[in-house]
């Protein structure tokens, strides 16, 4: 570790690590290595128990009497970041409006390209594997309800209009996204669908031919509070989170989860449904977590984790006390990878919290899970207000800072070779598992931008590569705050690394 201190000091003479007691450093590192070499499956349930929990949970959210289906023709469900059945309004609306549903997932090559500024891999191997597992689970769950999942490789704006023409699809239903890359794809899909002219229904005059085209119907479904229920428009979103939270808590209501019918079939006559891609098909070297936390992708795993954390281990009652931990799977909920992929509905989490409060206990910890979900909502709505400024170097407030883009300093940070045990352990955990604790993210962000002076966008794009729970709104929203360029200057926080190291050694029994 002394060698690493020397390396960083040579890279930047102004950057000088504090003196750390050798016994402290070696104790911290040895315990971190010992903990990291253990594999912790998340959720920690066996496959049979996971299947049972998922089946029972989905059964609770199955409508006993299916609503009357009055739709005609074929509708496509374009799955994006909503890879679930429970509380999926896109799927429900497509089913109601049609006689047959065609679920589709497009393996868009742009998702496996490079990040915008620094050419890191846009999707790392661990998140790619998590996505593959999400798709496999979704396909299996759809088949249990009389559907399937058509998986095709290519750009949605090419695939969806082609399918619409082949199957006479009147509407493509999809979840609405908010950031520019995703919105641009929506625009292209909508534009190309309008070129697909459908056969005229019997008795319809040819003069109405121009209106007989396929349409894209975008549906909101990624937040706990629905965008239509906010007491203000997103352009008038408060700049301070606390103001936002108090307004929605006092003036908005969280909608109930949507129940799905037991049978969602039939499907149109598809001959080849495609296969679940493997990493090599995505141009990625296959990789799974071999130490630390190993997350399982998919809705079944997501529902099992909620059951495990809330009900089986009864950890919800102490969440607020333990949430800033760093070691092991149970100091926090670990719901975020499934929330990001849409395998887990935030409204379902809300309803489970309320059920727990009714059956077991209501306290600060039960509320704090909802508090964190409101933060997630805030960043989603902020992305609408801030638009692309969320990704600009000056952030939403257009702050001018002379950032460094020193590659040697950045490489030391991302590879966990700074010489600071706390920083290095967190960065190595990120590379090995695709996950890092919330407090860990705040600390390594503060270190990169405040102590190293490195451009925050380099850190944000590296997180985009690595994180299982990456979504642009939360990732870039948090990085702008950590870099002091976010829309609320009061969230401009600095973390003293020696102080944090001392705290985490004491509070976690000398483990990291």
């Amino acid at each position: 570790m002394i060698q690493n201190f020397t390396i960083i000091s040579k890279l930047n003479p102004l950057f000088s690590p504090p003196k750390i007691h050798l016994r402290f450093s070696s104790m911290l590192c040895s315990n971190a290595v010992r903990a990291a070499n253990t594999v912790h499956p998340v959720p920690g349930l066996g496959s049979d128990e996971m299947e049972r929990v998922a089946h029972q949970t989905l059964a609770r959210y199955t409508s006993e009497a299916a609503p009357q289906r009055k739709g005609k023709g074929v509708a496509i469900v374009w799955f994006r970041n909503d890879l679930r059945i429970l509380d999926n309004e896109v799927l429900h609306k497509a089913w109601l409006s049609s006689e047959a549903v065609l679920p589709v997932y497009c393996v868009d090559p742009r998702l496996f390209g490079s990040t915008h500024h620094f050419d890191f891999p846009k999707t790392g191997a661990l998140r790619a594997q998590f996505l593959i597992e999400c798709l496999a689970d979704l396909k299996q769950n759809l088949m249990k309800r009389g559907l399937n999942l058509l998986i095709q490789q290519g750009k949605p704006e090419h695939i969806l209009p082609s399918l619409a023409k082949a199957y006479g699809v009147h509407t493509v239903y999809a979840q609405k996204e908010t950031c520019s890359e995703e919105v641009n794809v929506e625009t292209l899909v909508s534009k190309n669908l309008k070129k697909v002219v459908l056969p005229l229904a019997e008795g319809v005059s040819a003069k109405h031919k121009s209106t007989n085209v396929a349409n894209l119907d975008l549906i909101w479904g990624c937040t706990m509070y629905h965008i239509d229920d906010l007491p203000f428009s997103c352009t008038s979103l408060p700049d301070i989170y606390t103001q936002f939270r108090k307004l929605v808590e006092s003036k908005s209501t969280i909608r109930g989860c949507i129940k799905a019918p037991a049978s969602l079939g039939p499907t149109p006559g598809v001959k080849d449904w495609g296969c679940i891609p493997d990493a090599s098909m995505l141009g990625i070297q296959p990789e799974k977590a071999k130490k630390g936390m190993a997350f399982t992708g998919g809705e079944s795993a997501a529902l099992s984790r909620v059951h495990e954390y809330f009900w089986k281990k009864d950890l919800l009652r102490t969440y607020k006390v333990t949430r800033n931990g760093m070691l092991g799977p149970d100091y926090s909920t670990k719901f975020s990878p499934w929330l990001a992929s849409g395998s887990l509905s935030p409204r379902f989490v809300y309803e489970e919290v309320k059920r727990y409060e009714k059956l077991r206990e209501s306290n600060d910890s039960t509320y704090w899970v909802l508090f964190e979900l409101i933060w997630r909502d805030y960043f989603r709505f902020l992305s609408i207000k801030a638009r692309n400024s969320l990704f600009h170097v000056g952030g939403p407030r257009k702050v001018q800072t002379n950032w460094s883009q020193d590659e040697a300093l950045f490489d030391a940070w991302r590879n966990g070779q700074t010489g600071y045990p706390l920083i290095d352990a967190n960065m190595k955990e990120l590379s090995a598992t695709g996950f890092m604790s919330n407090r860990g993210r705040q600390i390594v962000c503060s270190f990169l931008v405040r102590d190293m002076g490195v451009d925050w966008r380099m850190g944000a794009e590296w997180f985009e590569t690595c994180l299982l729970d990456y979504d642009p709104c939360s990732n870039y929203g948090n990085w702008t705050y950590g870099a002091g360029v976010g829309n609320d200057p009061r969230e401009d926080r600095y973390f003293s690394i020696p102080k944090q190291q001392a705290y985490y050694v004491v509070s976690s029994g000398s483990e990291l």
Side-chain angles (χ1 to χ4, degrees), residues 183-376:
V183 171
N184 288 342
V185 175
E186 294 170 3
T187 302
L188 291 171
V189 168
S190 181
K191 179 182 177 182
N192 289 349
L193 281 174
K194 284 180 169 46
K195 299 175 184 177
V196 179
V197 180
L198 304 173
L200 287 172
E202 187 178 344
V204 176
S205 170
K207 69 180 182 180
H208 297 296
K209 187 176 180 180
S210 60
T211 63
N212 201 44
V213 297
N215 293 300
L216 176 63
D217 190 347
L218 296 169
I219 298 168
W220 191 264
C222 51
T223 54
M224 185 167 68
Y225 285 98
H226 196 284
I227 191 170
D228 292 343
D229 298 333
L230 297 180
F232 39 72
S233 68
C234 285
T235 54
S236 302
L237 185 82
D239 286 336
I240 298 171
Y241 165 74
T242 302
Q243 292 177 0
F244 165 80
R245 177 180 59 80
K246 289 181 177 179
L247 281 169
V248 295
E249 286 181 329
S250 62
K251 297 186 176 182
S252 300
T253 303
I254 296 169
R255 299 182 182 188
C257 289
I258 293 171
K259 293 187 175 183
S263 174
L264 292 164
T267 62
V270 177
K271 292 182 180 179
D272 182 8
W273 287 94
C275 64
I276 303 296
D278 59 28
S280 61
M281 292 170 64
L282 307 177
I284 292 174
Q285 188 68 29
E287 185 178 342
K288 290 188 177 183
K290 299 180 180 65
K291 55 186 179 180
M293 288 178 288
F295 287 79
T296 300
E299 181 176 21
S300 298
L303 299 177
S304 296
R305 176 57 182 174
V306 175
H307 169 80
E308 176 185 43
Y309 189 85
F310 283 9
W311 304 103
K312 185 173 183 178
K313 294 186 175 181
D314 201 26
L315 296 169
L316 178 54
R317 71 175 69 241
T318 57
Y319 169 76
K320 190 180 180 185
V321 178
T322 64
R323 75 190 192 283
N324 283 329
M326 288 189 182
L327 185 66
D330 290 340
Y331 61 81
S332 66
T333 68
K334 305 297 186 298
F335 295 164
S336 58
W338 296 290
L339 287 166
S341 65
S343 303
L344 181 64
S345 162
R347 296 192 302 207
F348 170 72
V349 177
Y350 170 82
E351 291 190 1
E352 284 294 275
V353 168
K354 291 303 173 183
R355 190 162 76 97
Y356 182 96
E357 289 179 336
K358 182 178 180 180
L359 297 177
R360 292 195 180 175
E361 181 178 351
S362 174
N363 61 20
D364 286 349
S365 287
T366 58
Y367 168 71
W368 216 256
V369 169
L370 305 181
F371 177 92
E372 298 294 357
L373 285 174
I374 299 172
W375 256 117
R376 181 177 174 275

Side-chain angles (χ1 to χ4, degrees), residues 118-135:
F118 303 103
D119 291 328
F120 304 144
K122 200 166 181 64
T123 300
L126 291 172
R127 188 162 80 253
Q129 179 59 37
F130 188 84
L131 171 61
I132 289 166
E133 293 169 6
C134 288
L135 293 175

Side-chain angles (χ1 to χ4, degrees), residues 284-482:
I284 292 174
Q285 188 68 29
E287 185 178 342
K288 290 188 177 183
K290 299 180 180 65
K291 55 186 179 180
M293 288 178 288
F295 287 79
T296 300
E299 181 176 21
S300 298
L303 299 177
S304 296
R305 176 57 182 174
V306 175
H307 169 80
E308 176 185 43
Y309 189 85
F310 283 9
W311 304 103
K312 185 173 183 178
K313 294 186 175 181
D314 201 26
L315 296 169
L316 178 54
R317 71 175 69 241
T318 57
Y319 169 76
K320 190 180 180 185
V321 178
T322 64
R323 75 190 192 283
N324 283 329
M326 288 189 182
L327 185 66
D330 290 340
Y331 61 81
S332 66
T333 68
K334 305 297 186 298
F335 295 164
S336 58
W338 296 290
L339 287 166
S341 65
S343 303
L344 181 64
S345 162
R347 296 192 302 207
F348 170 72
V349 177
Y350 170 82
E351 291 190 1
E352 284 294 275
V353 168
K354 291 303 173 183
R355 190 162 76 97
Y356 182 96
E357 289 179 336
K358 182 178 180 180
L359 297 177
R360 292 195 180 175
E361 181 178 351
S362 174
N363 61 20
D364 286 349
S365 287
T366 58
Y367 168 71
W368 216 256
V369 169
L370 305 181
F371 177 92
E372 298 294 357
L373 285 174
I374 299 172
W375 256 117
R376 181 177 174 275
D377 280 10
Y378 181 68
F379 281 130
R380 176 65 62 163
F381 298 128
L382 175 63
S383 71
I384 298 174
K385 179 182 181 179
R387 305 180 71 176
N388 278 348
S389 69
L390 203 60
F391 310 104
H392 294 168
V393 65
R397 290 192 294 118
K398 299 178 175 60
V399 179
Q400 293 188 353
T401 306
N402 187 25
W403 298 106
S404 164
Q405 291 182 2
D406 187 300
E407 290 187 10
L409 279 175
F410 177 75
D411 285 345
W413 177 82
R414 72 167 164 179
N415 294 327
Q417 295 176 342
T418 67
Y420 286 82
L422 183 62
I423 301 299
D424 294 347
N426 273 291
M427 294 307 297
K428 287 175 180 176
E429 179 187 37
L430 175 63
S431 295
T433 69
F435 192 86
M436 188 190 296
S437 69
N438 181 59
R439 182 49 55 90
R441 298 181 201 202
Q442 293 173 320
I443 291 170
V444 301
C445 168
S446 176
F447 184 80
L448 181 72
V449 301
R450 304 310 176 87
D451 294 314
M452 285 182 152
V454 171
D455 189 334
W456 66 270
R457 296 172 302 168
M458 296 180 80
E461 289 193 9
W462 183 241
F463 272 31
E464 180 175 349
T465 297
C466 296
L467 284 172
L468 296 179
D469 59 18
Y470 170 75
D471 87 69
C473 310
S474 293
N475 185 59
Y476 284 86
N478 274 302
W479 272 94
T480 59
Y481 273 46

Side-chain angles (χ1 to χ4, degrees), residues 52-203:
R52 177 182 59 79
V53 169
H55 174 77
Q56 291 176 347
T57 307
L58 287 167
R60 284 197 289 118
Y61 284 87
T62 298
S63 52
E64 295 179 4
Q68 189 174 0
R69 191 177 190 180
K70 298 179 180 179
K72 299 292 183 181
V74 179
I76 282 178
V77 173
W78 172 25
F79 280 101
R80 305 176 80 188
N81 294 314
D82 56 338
L83 305 179
R84 67 179 185 272
I85 290 176
L86 196 159
D87 192 32
N88 190 324
E89 189 169 353
V90 174
L91 180 59
H92 187 68
K93 192 169 182 180
W95 181 82
L96 283 174
S97 71
S98 68
E99 294 171 294
V101 174
L102 177 57
V104 179
Y105 184 85
C106 303
V107 183
D108 191 335
R110 289 167 295 206
L111 295 178
F112 305 94
S114 300
T115 58
H116 187 75
H117 292 290
F118 303 103
D119 291 328
F120 304 144
K122 200 166 181 64
T123 300
L126 291 172
R127 188 162 80 253
Q129 179 59 37
F130 188 84
L131 171 61
I132 289 166
E133 293 169 6
C134 288
L135 293 175
D137 186 71
L138 176 62
K139 187 179 182 77
Q140 185 179 52
N141 287 339
L142 286 170
M143 291 175 71
K144 290 176 181 177
R145 297 201 176 210
L147 293 178
N148 204 322
L149 181 63
L150 178 60
I151 299 173
Q152 294 200 347
Q153 290 190 280
K155 296 179 178 179
E157 63 265 30
H158 298 152
I159 291 171
L160 295 169
S162 176
L163 291 172
K165 184 176 182 179
Y167 294 99
V169 172
H170 59 73
T171 309
V172 173
Y173 293 93
Q175 180 173 278
K176 176 72 181 126
E177 294 291 337
T178 59
C179 292
S180 57
E181 290 181 358
E182 293 79 9
V183 171
N184 288 342
V185 175
E186 294 170 3
T187 302
L188 291 171
V189 168
S190 181
K191 179 182 177 182
N192 289 349
L193 281 174
K194 284 180 169 46
K195 299 175 184 177
V196 179
V197 180
L198 304 173
L200 287 172
E202 187 178 344

